[in-house]
Amino acid sequence: MFVALVLLILVAGIAIGSISKSLAFDFGEYIHWILIFFIFLIGMDLGLMESRMEKIKKSWKIGSLIAAGTVTGSLFAGVILHYFLSIPLLLAASVAAGMGWYSLTGPFLAKTAGAFAGALGFTSNFLREVLTFIFYPKMKDKTSAISIGGATTMDTTLPLIARFSSSENALVAFIHGFFISALAPILLSILSSLM
Amino acid sequence: MIEYLLSLVLGFTAGFLIERLKGVGREKEFLSKGMTASLFFLIFFLGLDIGRKLDLSEMIQVGKLSIVFAVMTMVFSYTASKILLRGFRCSSR
């Protein structure tokens, strides 16, 4: 029921957004401030926890391990797709290396590898974010499933993870997203320089 | 990114101080309600932002390929993370 409500709100937002393209409001600014408030609440929740320092230390380890899994898995998926879809290896790896950060991958690939690469980079990573909203609540292993959100687990999908998991996992997701957000631009730069 | 980290640290400090000064009372309930409300607002504004930025013709052009990319990267990321976490849990026992 709650998942359906979340998806309904997302679809309503997209529908209203697409028919109000001419409006001059910057919704990105609203998202930014709501996120800051939300992350503040997550911090508060952690501060209220007992044995908080132990949990934070453990979250760092788990967050970095999941980030390693996300990078390895995404790049491996790029290699597999290169073989099965006959897409150039570096292009497939670059699209996969965006790891959900569509606002970076789309423009970056459009500039370095052309319009098709840019469109593919944007839509693939955009869909990764949307699919995380759909699939995360249904996943059994909520900790490993943080990886499906890629870079978005530090911001846009963080509230979803916090709502459907625990505050400990919310911290893991934040740390994971932090690592991925730092690694995605580096990986994209390396891969595009090899193209 | 800095402001998110700062916000997390400030929230943590506030929570820590509340817990030390008066113990955990109805704060958990307030946090849960606050998080749910933020989630709804955030998703709505995110949808608005996506709706405004999305180029439908571009999306249709590379649609199928994008779905394959998105699903494959998610599946492999999940599998790799699961294997690594299992290894970590086994080694820390």
Side-chain angles (χ1 to χ4, degrees):
Chain A
M1 182 65 192
F2 192 83
V3 185
L5 190 62
V6 166
L7 290 176
L8 195 76
I9 293 169
L10 183 72
V11 171
I14 294 173
I16 295 169
S18 60
I19 56 172
S20 64
K21 279 186 176 172
S22 56
L23 287 178
F25 292 121
D26 181 14
F27 297 115
E29 197 61 24
Y30 289 102
I31 294 170
H32 180 72
W33 286 109
I34 297 169
L35 261 174
I36 286 184
F37 175 67
F38 186 80
I39 291 167
F40 177 82
L41 292 181
I42 287 178
M44 213 169 146
D45 200 22
L46 289 166
L48 287 169
M49 260 183 205
E50 284 173 23
S51 62
R52 53 186 86 77
M53 289 322 281
E54 274 172 41
K55 282 173 181 166
I56 290 170
K57 271 186 202 166
K58 198 179 161 198
S59 298
W60 269 101
K61 276 184 193 163
I62 295 176
S64 51
L65 268 176
I66 298 174
T70 305
V71 174
T72 317
S74 297
L75 291 177
F76 189 65
V79 174
I80 296 280
L81 287 168
H82 152 70
Y83 282 111
F84 283 95
L85 302 173
S86 306
I87 294 170
L89 177 64
L90 287 171
L91 173 63
S94 300
V95 171
M99 292 178 281
W101 195 349
Y102 61 88
S103 57
L104 169 81
T105 317
F108 189 91
L109 288 181
K111 206 176 168 187
T112 54
F116 174 75
L120 187 62
F122 181 88
T123 48
S124 302
N125 287 289
F126 162 75
L127 281 171
R128 186 166 174 169
E129 181 179 279
V130 174
L131 292 175
T132 303
F133 275 103
I134 298 168
F135 291 119
Y136 185 80
K138 298 188 189 305
M139 305 290 273
K140 275 188 182 167
D141 185 352
K142 300 281 188 217
T143 312
S144 302
I146 288 169
S147 63
I148 68 170
T152 66
T153 59
M154 189 187 171
D155 42 59
T156 49
T157 57
L158 180 62
L160 185 90
I161 292 166
R163 180 65 180 75
F164 287 98
S165 188
S166 60
S167 47
E168 269 178 86
N169 270 348
L171 182 64
V172 171
F174 186 86
I175 293 163
H176 166 264
F178 180 80
F179 279 125
I180 299 296
S181 300
L183 287 170
I186 298 169
L187 278 173
L188 278 170
S189 305
I190 293 169
L191 290 167
S192 68
S193 69
L194 296 171
M195 267 184 205
Chain B
M1 238 162 26
I2 296 292
E3 57 266 38
Y4 294 157
L5 271 175
L6 216 91
S7 175
L8 187 75
V9 172
L10 277 175
F12 180 80
T13 314
F16 177 78
L17 288 174
I18 290 169
E19 198 252 352
R20 278 290 156 101
L21 295 173
K22 59 187 270 280
V24 184
R26 291 191 60 188
E27 285 78 11
K28 285 269 178 193
E29 197 185 320
F30 158 76
L31 282 175
S32 170
K33 281 180 183 167
M35 281 183 183
T36 308
S38 324
L39 174 69
F40 288 156
F41 277 115
L42 194 72
I43 287 170
F44 180 70
F45 283 117
L46 186 72
L48 278 178
D49 202 37
I50 290 169
R52 292 182 75 208
K53 285 179 183 165
L54 202 66
D55 186 343
L56 209 64
S57 59
E58 191 179 85
M59 187 95 178
I60 291 164
Q61 202 187 345
V62 287
K64 280 181 193 165
L65 206 54
S66 299
I67 294 170
V68 177
F69 259 95
V71 172
M72 286 289 278
T73 50
M74 286 166 83
V75 168
F76 279 98
S77 294
Y78 176 70
T79 312
S81 300
K82 209 172 168 66
I83 292 167
L84 285 173
L85 274 185
R86 197 166 282 181
F88 170 71
R89 279 169 187 154
C90 286
S91 66
S92 57
R93 263 181 210 158

